[in-house]
Each structure stands twice: as C-alpha cells, then as structure tokens.
C-alpha cells in the first residue's frame, strides 16, 4: 500500500520554466478555485507589499504546479511533498476533492468587494490601486465611476467608454486581421519587415484580451523611426482610437553589457512600443466607415460613451506594438510570448541557478562577464540549460 502511494506521488520540478504546461490540463476543478483565491489575494494585497511574502504569488505558484500535472489529482497525498503547495493550499485541495467545492472560494465569489474589484480592474487603464480607490470611495457601478467627478487618465476614459468592446474576447481571426493590417502598412514603409503575433495567441489560446505584435527587421537599425511612421499611417486610416507611444532613445533600446535594473520580477523592458486601442472594422462589413477625429484625447467622457454606443461598423480592440531590434529578437520573442509566470521563473532560474541575467533584451553571463547572442528561441533554452519548451506548453 505504501509503495502504491509513493508511486502515485507527483514529481514536480521547482521552476515552472522546467515544466511542460499545456492550456488544457487535468485539474480544472482545482484551478478554477485557485484562480479565484489568486485574484482575490491580488485585490487585497497592497502593491508595495511585494518585497515581503505575497499570497497572490503563492497561489500563482500553486496554479502553475496544478496546470503542469500529467494527471488529475485524486488524493491530496499525491502532492504533499510538492514544493509551492503549502498547508493551506493542501487543505483547500482536500476540500475540493471531497466536496467538489470550497467554502472560502464560495464566500469570495459572493463577496461584494471581490465582484466590484473584478469589475473595476476590468477597465483598461485602471490597475488594482485605482480600482481600490473607486471601491473605497463607495462607487459600485461603472456608471458611478463615469459620473463621479474625478480627474481620470485618458486611458481610463477610453477604458470606461469602451468597456463592453474591450471586454469582448479577442478572437484569433481578429488578431490575424490586425496583424495583416499592420504588416501591409509596415511593409510599404520598410520592405522585409517581420510582424509576429505573440502573447497568448502564440501559446495556442483561441481568445485573448489584446493583440501583441512584435515588429522587427533583419537589418539591425532599420527599425529606428519605424513605429512613428506606422502610427502616422494607422492614424491616416482612422484606425486609432487611443494610444500611448513609449519612445526610447537608441541607447536605451540596446541591451548594454552592464547589468542594470533588477532582472527578476519586472516584466518592463526598454523596447520602443505603443499600447493602444484601435477601431477594428468588423469582419465582413464594408471597411469604409471608420472612426472619429484623429486625436480624440480631449473628448469628454460623455462624447466617448455616446461614440461607443453608436451604431458602428468597428469594435474597439486593445493592441500592443513592440519594436524589437534584430539582435535582440529571440529574447524579445520569449519575453513577449510569456506567459507572465513562465517569464518570472525563467528569470529567477537564470539568476539563481546559472548566475545569468535574463531580460527581453538578452542574456548576460555574470560569471564569464559576457553577453550571449541568440539566433533562435531554441538557442535561448540551450544557453539556459533547459529543455526546449514550445510556446503551447508555457501556459503556467
Ligand atoms: P491575454 O492577452 O490576456 O490573452 O494574455 P497574454 O499572455 O497575451 O498577456 P499580455 O498581453 O498581458 O502579455 C503578453 C506577454 O508579454 C506576457 O508574457 C507578459 O509577461 C509580457 N508583457 C506584457 N507587458 C510587458 C511589458 O511591458 N514588457 C515586457 N517585456 N513584457 C511584457
Ligand atoms: Mn496578450
Ligand atoms: Mn499585451
């Protein structure tokens, strides 16, 4: 009997970048519950707490383990030795296995705070701290937030006005549609350019919350000044609703050999990029009618709400455009493919196990004091002494 129990125990590698984690896994009953706990912990934790223990991160680690298991957990004994699954989580798993539901999770799902925070953090431009401020001020609906007389960022105004559009899942076909629009425009400006759909779609997801496009050109340096021209063109075509263009200087965009910035935790990079919202023509409608004025950033929120509710032949979609110099392309590709947890552990693993510093710009070997350039994604994994995990198995 003991032997059998032992055989049934799951062996789990400590870092999720060492594991294969498919989108469809065997423990949905458990992960559905832990997803609620994870979200709720994020809503409760204050952002400057992250130096200390984070319940949110602990739950994310439990989730990453559960998603990677080759079979359904049938007894809590099977995971009792797994790193990252602590006592409290084990109790929850036991309860879920026995009762098919968990009291703590059910209470969260019913709580007003959780539901309002979920609603408010669903607004583009509003993070947890903004959502908490709205909640603490006593607002309970999006209408309250719209009508409340408070200065808001332009991003939040658009997020509020186009809440319905932006909370409709983005389909893979729409991602491909945006990709070809961007590709055609870009190709006419700079022939030979590559445009790649990354993020969740590259990991095999069929729906997403946005469209992440990596733009690069084989000739290093040819990409300088490109994004501004692409945006001008998108503007002329009246496709842009809102956008924020992060320009970086040339030197900032290039990975210097001097280690700088904390390598872990932060997913921020120094690529030139644009975070925005486009009005995507609805598939199979005429593409002639497009949108509002070029720069609608000074519009009132009421004008925007009216615009969003009007009969229109387009839908608002979140798009990220990232310019990646050719020499950093494969590191950028890994970084922007994600998922977030995979990146986090990849960087932590590189630092702790190999004394290397990984970012979306490159890999620096601190022991040898040199930069490791890469010509493929496989090579990145080889430098990191990891099995090559394909994008579809990075859904930690
Ligand atoms: P959905 O969009 O919800 O389908 O999931 P997603 O995985 O595509 O998420 P998201 O678009 O937020 O991010 C895509 C990947 O890019 C993730 O792995 C993030 O870690 C990464 N990412 C997001 N924002 C940044 C950023 O500012 N800098 C860098 N380097 N990476 C980012
Ligand atoms: Mn995405
Ligand atoms: Mn994104």
């Amino acid at each position: 009997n003991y032997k059998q129990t032992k055989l049934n125990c799951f062996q789990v590698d400590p870092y999720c970048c060492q594991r294969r984690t498919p989108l469809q896994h065997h423990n949905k009953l458990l992960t559905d519950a832990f997803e609620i706990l994870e979200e709720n912990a994020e809503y409760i934790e204050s952002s400057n707490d992250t130096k200390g223990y984070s319940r949110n991160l602990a739950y994310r680690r439990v989730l990453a383990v559960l998603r990677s298991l080759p079979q359904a957990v049938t007894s809590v004994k099977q995971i009792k030795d797994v790193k990252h699954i602590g006592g409290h989580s084990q109790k929850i798993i036991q309860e879920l296995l026995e009762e098919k539901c968990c009291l703590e999770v059910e209470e969260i799902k019913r709580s007003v705070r959780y539901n309002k925070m979920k609603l408010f953090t669903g607004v583009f431009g509003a993070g947890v701290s903004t959502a908490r401020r709205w909640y603490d001020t006593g607002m309970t609906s999006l209408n309250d937030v719209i009508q409340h007389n408070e200065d808001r960022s332009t991003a939040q105004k658009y997020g509020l006005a186009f809440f319905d559009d932006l909370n409709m899942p983005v389909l893979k076909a729409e991602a491909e549609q945006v990709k070809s629009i961007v590709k055609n425009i870009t190709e006419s400006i700079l022939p030979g350019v590559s445009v790649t759909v990354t993020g969740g779609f590259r990991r095999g997801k069929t729906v997403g919350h946005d469209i992440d496009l990596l733009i690069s050109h084989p000739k290093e340096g040819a990409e300088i000044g490109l994004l501004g021209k692409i945006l001008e063109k998108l503007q002329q075509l009246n496709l842009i609703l809102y956008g924020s263009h992060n320009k970086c200087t040339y030197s900032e965009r290039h990975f210097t050999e001097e280690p700088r910035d904390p390598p872990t935790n932060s997913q921020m990079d120094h690529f030139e990029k644009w975070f925005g919202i486009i009005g995507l023509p609805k598939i199979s409608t005429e593409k002639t009618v497009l949108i509002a004025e070029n720069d609608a950033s000074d519009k009132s929120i009421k004008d925007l709400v009216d615009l969003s509710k009007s009969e229109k032949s387009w839908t608002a979609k979140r798009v990220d455009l990232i310019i990646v110099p050719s020499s950093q392309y494969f590191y950028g590709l890994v970084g922007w493919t994600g998922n977030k947890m995979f990146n986090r552990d990849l960087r932590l693993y590189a630092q702790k196990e190999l004394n290397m510093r990984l970012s979306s710009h490159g890999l620096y070997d601190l022991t040898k004091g040199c930069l490791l350039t890469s010509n493929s994604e496989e090579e990145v994994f080889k430098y990191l002494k990891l099995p090559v995990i394909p994008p579809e198995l990075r859904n930690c």
Side-chain angles (χ1 to χ4, degrees):
N1 203 357
Y2 169 76
K3 227 178 190 170
Q4 197 160 5
T5 318
K6 189 103 190 162
L7 274 175
N8 285 334
C9 283
F10 290 111
Q11 302 290 312
V12 178
D13 287 323
Y15 296 95
C16 66
C17 57
Q18 298 171 302
R19 313 193 288 254
R20 298 168 174 271
T21 314
L23 209 50
Q24 306 296 337
H25 59 81
H26 307 277
N27 286 285
K28 201 156 165 7
L29 171 80
L30 303 181
T31 56
D32 283 352
F34 277 96
E35 279 167 16
I36 308 281
L37 294 164
E38 182 264 330
E39 271 179 327
N40 190 55
E42 191 193 7
Y43 300 158
I44 287 167
E45 256 159 34
S46 91
S47 53
N48 31 8
D49 256 17
T50 43
K51 281 267 176 333
Y53 173 79
S54 161
R55 281 221 300 157
N56 169 260
L57 181 58
Y59 285 134
R60 276 161 58 197
R61 293 204 180 285
V62 173
L63 278 164
V65 168
L66 293 173
R67 290 175 183 140
S68 75
L69 298 178
Q71 274 151 35
V73 177
T74 51
S75 155
V76 76
K77 285 185 196 132
Q78 296 170 310
I79 43 113
K80 72 175 177 2
D81 292 331
V82 175
K83 198 183 167 185
H84 306 311
I85 303 190
H88 183 63
S89 294
Q90 290 190 21
K91 266 191 211 145
I92 289 164
I93 291 172
Q94 182 158 16
E95 187 180 344
L96 285 163
L97 293 176
E98 284 166 9
E99 317 285 339
K100 299 277 176 274
C101 78
C102 161
L103 202 63
E104 186 181 340
V105 173
E106 295 310 308
E107 271 168 19
I108 292 169
K109 282 204 269 190
R110 278 195 301 267
S111 83
V112 175
R113 188 195 165 92
Y114 168 79
N115 285 291
K116 297 305 168 199
M117 286 296 288
K118 193 168 171 71
L119 177 72
F120 293 160
T121 52
V123 175
F124 167 65
V128 170
S129 62
T130 303
R132 198 179 293 144
R133 194 177 68 244
W134 291 346
Y135 177 75
D136 290 341
T137 328
M139 302 186 222
T140 63
S141 67
L142 292 180
N143 246 340
D144 284 356
V145 179
I146 287 170
Q147 275 156 24
H148 190 266
N149 141 47
E150 177 192 296
D151 267 349
R152 290 180 215 298
S153 68
T154 312
Q156 289 167 3
K157 284 196 214 168
Y158 279 83
L160 286 163
F162 290 93
F163 182 85
D164 292 343
D165 275 7
L166 297 176
N167 278 280
M168 281 285 286
V170 179
L171 307 177
K172 185 157 173 116
E174 292 167 327
E176 291 299 330
Q177 193 191 351
V178 173
K179 179 202 149 160
S180 38
I181 292 172
V182 172
K183 167 85 185 170
N184 290 340
I185 288 174
T186 312
E187 184 69 30
S188 74
I189 301 167
L190 179 66
V193 79
S194 74
V195 178
T196 312
V197 180
T198 58
F201 291 113
R202 186 158 184 264
R203 300 195 310 275
K205 283 175 68 173
T206 53
V207 294
H209 98 284
D210 71 350
I211 300 150
D212 306 288
L213 298 179
L214 237 55
I215 301 169
S216 191
H217 190 278
K219 187 167 169 286
E220 181 89 1
E223 78 288 349
I224 297 165
L226 179 61
L227 186 53
K229 291 178 194 155
I230 297 173
L231 294 173
E232 226 170 82
K233 208 68 200 270
L234 286 168
Q235 192 90 267
Q236 283 165 12
L237 292 168
N238 261 336
L239 285 161
I240 295 181
L241 273 167
Y242 164 79
S244 144
H245 182 176
N246 287 3
K247 293 178 193 136
C248 294
T249 66
Y250 187 81
S251 64
E252 264 175 333
R253 284 191 295 114
H254 283 257
F255 187 67
T256 58
E257 304 208 0
E258 293 297 313
R260 51 156 199 206
D261 297 345
T264 52
N265 304 345
S266 170
Q267 56 165 336
M268 292 313 212
D269 57 43
H270 302 277
F271 292 130
E272 183 181 5
K273 57 175 87 70
W274 181 82
F275 294 120
I277 304 173
I278 66 159
L280 182 66
K282 284 179 183 158
I283 298 176
S284 87
T285 57
E286 282 166 51
K287 289 185 182 168
T288 45
V289 196
L290 284 176
I291 49 176
E293 282 102 274
N294 282 345
D295 186 5
S297 59
D298 57 349
K299 274 185 182 293
S300 74
I301 195 157
K302 171 150 190 329
D303 290 343
L304 289 172
V305 172
D306 290 346
L307 176 62
S308 77
K309 300 271 186 278
S310 63
E311 248 334 282
K312 53 189 177 35
S313 60
W314 47 270
T315 5
K317 298 282 171 197
R318 272 275 299 112
V319 175
D320 292 337
L321 302 177
I322 304 99
I323 302 289
V324 183
S326 153
S327 62
Q328 303 167 29
Y329 182 76
F330 292 100
Y331 290 103
L333 182 63
V334 170
W336 279 86
T337 298
N339 63 10
K340 237 174 247 179
M341 197 59 202
F342 187 87
N343 283 347
R344 188 187 179 104
D345 265 9
L346 208 51
R347 289 163 196 204
L348 191 66
Y349 162 90
Q351 185 189 36
K352 296 251 190 235
E353 307 298 323
L354 305 173
N355 195 31
M356 290 183 184
R357 194 175 75 93
L358 174 72
S359 76
S360 286
H361 298 278
L363 182 62
Y364 188 84
D365 186 328
L366 287 152
T367 311
K368 292 190 187 140
C370 66
L371 199 60
L372 303 166
T373 58
S374 180
N375 290 308
S376 68
E377 229 181 9
E378 288 73 21
E379 209 175 357
V380 173
F381 285 89
K382 195 187 79 192
Y383 285 140
L384 291 169
K385 301 181 172 57
L386 288 170
V388 180
I389 311 281
E392 304 76 39
L393 297 176
R394 299 179 202 163
N395 292 292
C396 312

